[in-house]
Amino acid sequence: MKHNKIFISFAFILVIASGCKKLLQPEIENYRNLEESYLPSDARYPYGILLNAYNRIPTNSWSFNDVATDDAVTNDKASSFLKMATGQWTANNNPMNQWDNCFSAIQYLNITLLEIKKITWAGDDVVNKLFAMRITGETYGLRALFMYHLLQTHGGVSAKSGELLGVPILLEPQSTTSNFNLPRAKFEDCMKQLYKDLDSAVALLPLDYGNVASASLIPSKYGSIAPETYNRAFGVTFRGLFTARIADAIRAKAALLAASPAFSAGNSTTWADAANYAAAVINSKGGVSGLTAGGTTLFTNSGITWFYNKAEIDALADGSNPAEILWRTNYSSNGDLEAANYPPTLYGNGRINPTQNLVDAFPMANGYPITNSSSGYDATKPYTGRDPRLLAFILINGGTAGPGNTAINTAADGTTNDALNKVETSTRTGYYMRKLLRQDVNRNPTSINNQKHYKPHIRYTEIYLDYAEAANEAWGPTGTGSNTYSAYDVIKAIRARAGVGTTNGDAYLEAAKADKASMRELIRNERRLELCFEGYRFWDLRRWNADITEVAKGMSIAAGTYSVIQVENRTYQSHMNYGPLPYNEVLKFNALDQNKGW
């Protein structure tokens, strides 16, 4: 368990390394510069520079920017995402901004790369070399990760040249004498640098960290060394740090972005590249059969499970991952997520309110969309016979939640504060979020009971969906390229896992596999459902050049009658498929071209 909190441990080392003997008179080593930190006993100090970059990894997952899309709204009137979605998104008011955060991280990473060879990481020469290899690999990999986030957030079409641009490429630390007035590189050149950094990371890092008992299990790139020597540099202690497997996943994610309609102009990354990069990750998981078993519910005590459940998370130790998770944060023991999103009667603030738009996107259990004449959908019983993921992810009127399985009444004529628009913490759509919440958390002030949580940086289902999207575009629904499975195979497995189409051979999927456009629509919808509330919808709509102005709707229930209501307009403009560069940066540096429209 102590290794599971490696980031926190390192951070605490940095703070308390000098001891507490003179609380009011800090020891001089608290103020060391790099040149004074090149001894083996002080290697933790320069490693702290790299940890500064780790601490800046964007929390794309569970940022809840979904409330700025057609998937959800929030009842938090102060939400920056709400303001952004309703007309207040500008270059100097951008809650999606990653410019300062990512470039700060890249500065720390470039310092690390410059200093690595000067530092004695361990007294043993062989171990010292292995540590230097690992830390160099981590640094290159993280630099690629931050470039990905910069491209996703700030890449776009130049207002001056009309070219698709990325961001300035910085490969050395900047100092007070550096030229900060740098132009943006072409998007293509940024992608090339990202791939190059990932190649460097893969060349130096193991696929995963873990102890080995035999020298035969040690990758040849580390030479002929003893298991105990390998374990000192690449053993279980370092789980949670950047690996070659993570590098492969970031390559797949970045390639999907680059191949997408909004970013493909003048870009050499193809849909086939994106599919093959995703396949490399999937193959290391066992192919389509490696898709995590279980169904769709998070943090359950019994029944179908999603990517981890109560038993799994409570048993986590030594930085280990559940089968669905490729990379995750450390876990914490609190009930903050439930305090924010439980309904009011469960002592929550009901912040994330799923829309009717999202509810309607869930098909019937037989696999047909509710708009299809073969679906059997009954508007007077809108939640009956639906895809099991609907009730697992979204709390509907009459659904139960919390440690006591309390029935929640979200109807407009409901008598509790859970009812539609009853109080400021009530739902605005007739729905509350259920996915991600531990139902065994008790937020009653007289008997608070918190539980363990963690957030995934990357989970495998995302990579399977990346492959399905890219493979369909590259080779059609049933084409495989050089791989052994198709987009159809992946989507069939995902839907079967969810319990969709299992009674009729998934007839809707079988019909869709004959047409690329139909399969595209189905894949995008499966991505919407599987990844809802995890921070993907905002970016997906934009990279697809899809409609971002769909009105967010809800469901009003009164006297047993169901009525769809309009809840919140989306007032984005057409140029907002690309985000802006920060206004103050463009104001300071005339070499920076702003994105068109901003």
Side-chain angles (χ1 to χ4, degrees):
M1 183 172 175
K2 62 182 179 181
H3 300 314
N4 193 50
K5 299 189 177 181
I6 186 168
F7 295 162
I8 296 175
S9 299
F10 270 118
F12 272 67
I13 287 173
L14 293 175
V15 174
I16 66 172
S18 299
C20 301
K21 292 182 291 184
K22 298 180 180 179
L23 182 61
L24 300 178
Q25 295 179 309
E27 297 287 356
I28 191 65
E29 54 261 38
N30 282 334
Y31 304 96
R32 290 184 178 182
N33 57 34
L34 284 171
E35 288 72 17
E36 296 170 317
S37 301
Y38 291 158
L39 301 175
S41 60
D42 293 315
R44 61 187 179 269
Y45 285 95
Y47 192 77
I49 297 172
L50 178 58
L51 291 180
N52 267 291
Y54 272 110
N55 289 335
R56 284 169 168 76
I57 295 174
T59 55
N60 190 45
S61 293
W62 303 11
S63 66
F64 300 116
N65 58 32
D66 306 73
V67 300
T69 74
D70 55 354
D71 272 4
V73 301
T74 180
N75 61 22
D76 180 6
K77 294 179 181 179
S79 168
S80 58
F81 294 138
L82 182 152
K83 295 175 182 178
M84 180 182 76
T86 54
Q88 299 182 48
W89 192 15
T90 65
N92 59 1
N93 181 31
N94 180 15
M96 313 307 296
N97 180 29
Q98 283 295 333
W99 191 275
D100 293 341
N101 177 68
C102 289
F103 276 118
S104 293
I106 289 172
Q107 171 75 351
Y108 285 115
L109 294 167
N110 287 340
I111 292 172
T112 302
L113 287 173
L114 185 67
E115 303 296 332
I116 282 174
K117 293 182 180 179
K118 304 176 186 177
I119 298 165
T120 304
W121 300 100
D124 183 281
D125 288 342
V126 175
V127 175
N128 183 65
K129 179 182 178 181
L130 294 176
F131 266 84
M133 289 179 69
R134 195 201 78 224
I135 294 166
T136 302
E138 289 177 66
T139 306
Y140 278 122
L142 286 170
R143 192 166 72 179
L145 173 62
F146 285 104
M147 175 60 80
Y148 164 71
H149 283 287
L150 282 168
L151 293 178
Q152 177 181 250
T153 308
H154 300 291
V157 175
S158 165
K160 295 180 181 178
S161 68
E163 290 184 286
L164 182 66
L165 300 180
V167 296
I169 298 174
L170 302 178
L171 303 180
E172 296 179 353
Q174 292 179 298
S175 69
T176 55
T177 61
S178 296
N179 175 20
F180 290 86
N181 192 21
L182 300 174
R184 297 166 67 187
K186 293 181 179 180
F187 190 94
E188 167 76 347
D189 291 335
C190 291
M191 286 297 302
K192 287 180 179 178
Q193 183 60 49
L194 181 151
Y195 289 145
K196 183 177 180 181
D197 281 348
L198 292 175
D199 288 341
S200 298
V202 170
L204 295 168
L205 295 172
L207 187 64
D208 300 298
Y209 295 110
N211 292 341
V212 300
S214 168
S216 63
L217 300 176
I218 299 174
S220 60
K221 60 187 172 185
Y222 301 122
S224 299
I225 57 175
E228 56 268 25
T229 301
Y230 175 86
N231 294 342
R232 282 187 62 184
F234 303 108
V236 67
T237 300
F238 303 102
R239 285 177 176 169
L241 300 179
F242 203 96
T243 65
R245 188 187 298 272
I246 295 168
D248 288 340
I250 292 169
R251 191 192 308 272
K253 287 164 63 72
L256 187 76
L257 177 73
S260 297
F263 296 98
S264 60
N267 191 339
S268 62
T269 299
T270 66
W271 284 116
D273 292 330
N276 289 330
Y277 295 152
V281 179
I282 293 170
N283 291 340
S284 70
K285 189 78 162 53
V288 176
S289 62
L291 185 70
T292 309
T296 54
T297 308
L298 178 60
F299 292 137
T300 54
N301 295 299
S302 61
I304 58 174
T305 60
W306 182 39
F307 64 90
Y308 53 87
N309 60 25
K310 182 180 186 301
E312 286 177 328
I313 194 171
D314 288 346
L316 285 178
D318 294 331
S320 58
N321 287 327
E324 170 64 9
I325 300 301
L326 194 153
W327 192 23
R328 66 175 175 87
T329 63
N330 298 316
Y331 62 73
S332 58
S333 296
N334 60 55
D336 294 348
L337 202 60
E338 289 73 26
N341 295 293
Y342 265 175
T345 58
L346 296 181
Y347 305 94
N349 287 308
R351 290 302 188 211
I352 310 303
N353 305 157
T355 60
Q356 188 64 41
N357 316 52
L358 176 60
V359 170
D360 288 346
F362 287 87
M364 298 296 286
N366 61 19
Y368 285 99
I370 64 171
T371 55
N372 190 291
S373 59
S374 299
S375 68
Y377 174 71
D378 183 349
T380 65
K381 300 176 182 177
Y383 314 119
T384 301
R386 299 292 291 275
D387 177 341
R389 290 172 293 189
L390 173 58
L391 300 187
F393 294 173
I394 296 176
L395 184 57
I396 65 168
N397 182 51
T400 61
N405 289 318
T406 304
I408 304 299
N409 186 341
T410 68
D413 54 3
T415 58
T416 71
N417 287 343
D418 298 334
L420 182 71
N421 292 322
K422 192 77 170 181
V423 295
E424 288 189 0
T425 55
S426 301
T427 176
R428 298 173 59 205
T429 63
Y431 303 104
Y432 293 98
M433 183 179 75
R434 196 176 199 280
K435 183 184 179 184
L436 309 180
L437 306 183
R438 287 194 66 153
Q439 301 301 318
D440 56 347
V441 166
N442 189 342
R443 294 302 305 172
N444 187 326
T446 64
S447 54
I448 286 180
N449 178 28
N450 294 326
Q451 300 292 347
K452 292 178 181 177
H453 297 75
Y454 67 84
K455 299 176 182 179
H457 288 308
I458 306 172
R459 63 185 186 95
Y460 281 105
T461 295
E462 176 197 349
I463 306 301
Y464 280 91
L465 288 163
D466 290 353
Y467 176 83
E469 180 180 339
N472 181 60
E473 300 297 339
W475 309 304
T478 58
T480 62
S482 60
N483 305 300
T484 59
Y485 42 87
S486 65
Y488 160 79
D489 294 326
V490 169
I491 296 302
K492 182 178 181 179
I494 288 174
R495 282 162 68 90
R497 178 182 69 175
V500 173
T502 57
T503 60
N504 64 346
D506 204 346
Y508 184 76
L509 172 62
E510 293 303 314
K513 75 176 183 181
D515 178 67
K516 179 188 285 191
S518 297
M519 183 60 76
R520 178 188 301 127
E521 182 180 352
L522 180 54
I523 290 169
R524 289 183 178 184
N525 196 67
E526 283 297 314
R527 185 177 181 91
R528 180 181 190 177
L529 303 184
E530 284 283 336
L531 303 180
C532 64
F533 314 124
E534 296 181 59
Y536 291 90
R537 182 69 173 171
F538 180 87
W539 306 111
D540 284 344
L541 288 172
R542 283 158 173 77
R543 67 180 177 83
W544 292 331
N545 282 333
D547 180 19
I548 57 177
T549 62
E550 186 175 329
V551 176
K553 300 176 183 179
M555 178 66 77
S556 175
I557 307 171
T561 299
Y562 295 83
S563 303
V564 175
I565 58 174
Q566 293 194 356
V567 176
E568 191 171 280
N569 290 328
R570 295 284 174 256
T571 53
Y572 297 114
Q573 299 177 48
S574 59
H575 66 272
M576 292 180 174
N577 273 358
Y578 306 110
L581 275 64
Y583 175 74
N584 63 325
E585 294 296 310
V586 176
L587 199 63
K588 287 186 294 186
F589 305 118
N590 59 19
L592 282 177
D593 287 358
Q594 180 61 279
N595 283 330
K596 185 177 180 180
W598 295 98

